Amino acid sequence: MRLAVFDANRLGIVVSGGSGDEIVDVTEALPWAHDPDPLTAGWWRALCRDFAHARPALERAAAQGPRRPAADVVLRTPALGPSKIVAAASNYREHVTEMHGVQERTLGRVESWMMEFDVFLKAPSSLVGPGAEVVLPAAVVAAGHEVHHESELVVVIGAGGRDIPPDSALDHVLGFTAGLDITVRSPADRSRRKSYDSFSPVGPWIVTRDEVGDGSGLDIRLTCGGEVRQAVSTDELIVSVPRIVAYASSVMTLLPGDLIFTGAPPGVGPIAAGEKLDMTVSRIGNLTVTVTEEVVR
Ligand code: MN
């Protein structure tokens, strides 16, 4: 099932129709009161936690409700008020190798601690949805720092938990979506470099786990101005999705609706104002954003 948030944070189910993707508004079928305010959207976290409970009513509504072309609605970030965005570092071998060159160029040295798999945090306020603008901060541009694209498979946590074993980690996953981990290359702290507003585009919707499996075997592809920049299979992940979830939960309690970026494939590189980033993950969908530069008045 494809779960979308659209327009005034309505809940939609995306179905394949004669003219392409169509969306059915299933908000009224939720077993909880809907609240469009992302700051108080407890319904969203309840849906992530208790999706199995809500699913039959949502499926009935999706089968009966009127369909609209998905292109006629505004898709929003399929994450409302997550407690955190966890992100994996150094999780594809070829990317780890390329980062030696990137760090020599942008830092003048190699930081060996950044070459090991680990997890870090991005600010949830950096989230934006499909079609959004990624805004390059004026101060970052003025300092001459490169800002890079990292196109990643993103895990959406369903039932949360802590100290989750790898063997049952998928029971805690609602589904998967696509995300761009936009990153400033500079000597600053990693969380700050990745937490500017608009630096976490996520979408276009969540595909539930039953349709995606364990997150392996998916093809990630990113083009910039029509040029292929990143193309990888998630089979290349050093630490698999279940093990990422288990590891993250050994550090911090995962809450329903939390997002986990699974790591950058090789091919990271600079973005500039005016460029269009077009990302596709097989079996999930397409996420497109445009790059702009902050205007200082
Ligand atoms: Mn990343």
Side-chain angles (χ1 to χ4, degrees), residues 62-98:
Q64 296 162 3
R67 298 177 169 201
R68 302 160 64 186
D72 288 358
V73 305
V74 179
L75 292 171
R76 309 290 183 187
T77 317
L80 294 175
S83 81
K84 52 194 167 295
I85 304 173
V86 181
S90 296
N91 206 13
Y92 289 90
R93 287 186 207 290
E94 276 184 57
H95 171 62
V96 175
T97 301
E98 77 179 345

Side-chain angles (χ1 to χ4, degrees), residues 88 120 150 152 181 194 263-264:
F120 59 91
E150 300 187 353
E152 309 187 15
D181 175 15
K194 293 167 172 280

